[in-house]
Amino acid sequence: PDPALASVSTKASLIAGAAVLIASTGVCIRNAEVDGKILYSPMSVTLFSELAKLGLSVGATAYSTASHQPASGRTLLSFLPGALGYVVVNNVRYFMLEQVNPGLLAVIWNLKICMIGLLYSLPPFRRAFSGHQWSGALLLVAGSTLAEVSQWGSRDESGRANTGGALGLELVAFLLVLTSMSAVATEYAYKRTPLPLCRQNVILYSYGAGLNLITFLAWRAWTGGGFGAWTTGFTGWTWAVVVTQAASGYAIGALLKHVDAIGQVFADVVAMLFSALVAFALFDLAANWQYAVALLVCSMSLGVYYLDVVRSALDAHRRKQAAVQAAVRDAQSAADRDGAAQGFWATRSPLVVADPRPPGASVELTA
């Protein structure tokens, strides 16, 4: 297969797979609520998810054929900033989902593309967006804004405003900035450390499990909750949250290493489409023409942003095909010239019969 097209296909598959897992996590979190309330400890869920991701990473490393030489101290430290940010994001997201409808949140969350674009322009990336990329980002902002406007004044089955009010929007804004910085820092660590993905994940999720354990124990000590019954309030849906969050986190790691942080944003775009359908059916998200247009605009932004990438891959494929065809034509022309140079005998089919006498000239008979 053509390497350029295969690369685009692989990236698209990674985005689609991550999108399904991201959307499933949000849906499971909302279904795990009882009368709009979370009865389990979100910190327990996050801790179990980090332990599950660490287990996956250790298992993948054990079966990997890559070198197991020790990582340098610089490599170990490079994953710490992103891990610190994700500890906050992963624990606060449950409270955020209590404040904001998940279908609406999935759209607004895509505003982080602008923050990531600004971070990319700074050292060490110094990577400027192209015109099409900024156009895609602006379309995403427009679609997200329209989605927010479409839900003003509407409430869900529990009587909560779908936009979450001032507290919900302020919380979303804070986490947008923090998750963008964490994604860019983690992408940098993935791409600048000379280790396979499985070993990089062992480092990242070791930080995640350790930091979440410390956070969990500190919170229990502060609130006087004690250190037992870590699974109080857990249901089947809660364990589904643990599994989907672990799987989506692992998939996002692959996205950051093999695509970039913007690829994660567009995984959220695809997840948004699925989340919106579920939110319409289960969570009383207001279905109106404004929200439908918002979904369409956000979906269009995906194609506009990656237009240059797809066009470059198609151009490379066409150039390769043209080079192959030119090589075939040159080979045919060379064969025709050789045939013309050899003249009449080149067009005959010789039948060579060995002379029974001692080695010498053979006898050539022609039809």
Side-chain angles (χ1 to χ4, degrees):
D2 186 271
L5 292 181
S7 176
V8 171
S9 177
T10 299
K11 291 178 179 180
S13 298
L14 283 173
I15 290 174
V20 172
L21 294 171
I22 292 169
S24 300
T25 300
V27 171
C28 289
I29 290 174
R30 196 60 182 263
N31 277 290
E33 296 177 2
V34 177
D35 296 327
K37 300 294 182 182
I38 292 177
L39 302 182
Y40 56 87
S41 169
M43 290 185 178
S44 293
V45 170
T46 302
L47 175 59
F48 289 139
S49 295
E50 291 299 315
L51 289 172
K53 286 185 280 189
L54 179 58
L56 284 172
S57 305
V58 171
T61 301
Y63 285 96
S64 172
T65 57
S67 172
H68 290 180
Q69 64 181 16
S72 67
R74 184 174 181 178
T75 295
L76 295 175
L77 288 176
S78 63
F79 285 92
L80 183 57
L84 287 170
Y86 280 128
V87 167
V88 178
V89 173
N90 290 336
N91 282 287
V92 179
R93 66 181 296 182
Y94 295 92
F95 178 71
M96 181 173 62
L97 281 169
E98 286 186 306
Q99 299 298 314
V100 182
N101 190 292
L104 177 63
L105 176 63
V107 178
I108 300 176
W109 199 242
N110 297 324
L111 290 172
K112 65 185 177 183
I113 190 174
C114 296
M115 178 57 63
I116 291 174
L118 293 175
L119 292 172
Y120 273 159
S121 66
L122 302 174
F125 286 96
R126 297 189 185 279
R127 176 175 140 193
F129 275 11
S130 68
H132 284 127
Q133 288 175 324
W134 275 118
S135 297
L138 292 175
L139 278 174
L140 197 57
V141 171
S144 300
T145 303
L146 184 57
E148 166 71 8
V149 171
S150 74
Q151 300 301 303
W152 283 354
S154 61
R155 296 182 177 274
D156 65 11
E157 74 281 2
S158 301
R160 297 176 300 181
N162 280 336
T163 59
L167 176 60
L169 295 180
E170 289 171 1
L171 185 60
V172 169
F174 167 71
L175 291 182
L176 274 175
V177 175
L178 184 57
T179 192
S180 300
M181 296 175 67
S182 301
V184 171
T186 305
E187 178 191 343
Y188 181 78
Y190 271 124
K191 292 183 175 178
R192 295 305 175 95
T193 53
L195 293 174
L197 177 62
C198 57
R199 292 196 61 202
Q200 290 174 324
N201 282 338
V202 169
I203 299 172
L204 179 63
Y205 299 138
S206 293
Y207 281 132
L211 291 170
N212 277 285
L213 178 59
I214 293 171
T215 302
F216 177 81
L217 295 177
W219 179 258
R220 282 296 186 95
W222 177 264
T223 59
F227 302 106
W230 290 14
T231 58
T232 298
F234 272 44
T235 65
W237 279 113
T238 314
W239 286 112
V241 173
V242 171
V243 173
T244 55
Q245 185 166 290
S248 63
Y250 208 92
I252 289 171
L255 268 181
L256 292 176
K257 182 174 179 67
H258 298 295
V259 188
D260 55 24
I262 300 298
Q264 180 188 347
V265 175
F266 282 107
D268 291 335
V269 173
V270 179
M272 168 198 69
L273 301 175
F274 177 70
S275 295
L277 293 175
V278 176
F280 286 141
L282 301 180
F283 306 131
D284 294 334
L285 188 69
N288 54 44
W289 69 269
Q290 291 171 310
Y291 196 85
V293 172
L295 289 179
L296 178 61
V297 171
C298 289
S299 301
M300 289 172 57
S301 70
L302 177 64
V304 173
Y305 182 89
Y306 282 111
L307 180 62
D308 292 334
V309 175
V310 174
R311 181 181 293 170
S312 297
L314 292 175
D315 287 343
H317 177 70
R318 284 193 289 265
R319 287 194 298 270
K320 181 178 179 180
Q321 291 296 103
V324 170
Q325 292 173 359
V328 171
R329 288 194 300 269
D330 290 344
Q332 185 61 49
S333 298
D336 292 343
R337 287 194 299 271
D338 290 344
Q342 292 178 23
F344 172 80
W345 294 108
T347 64
R348 312 302 290 170
S349 300
L351 175 62
V352 179
V353 179
D355 191 338
R357 294 173 299 177
S362 59
V363 179
E364 181 178 358
L365 303 178
T366 60

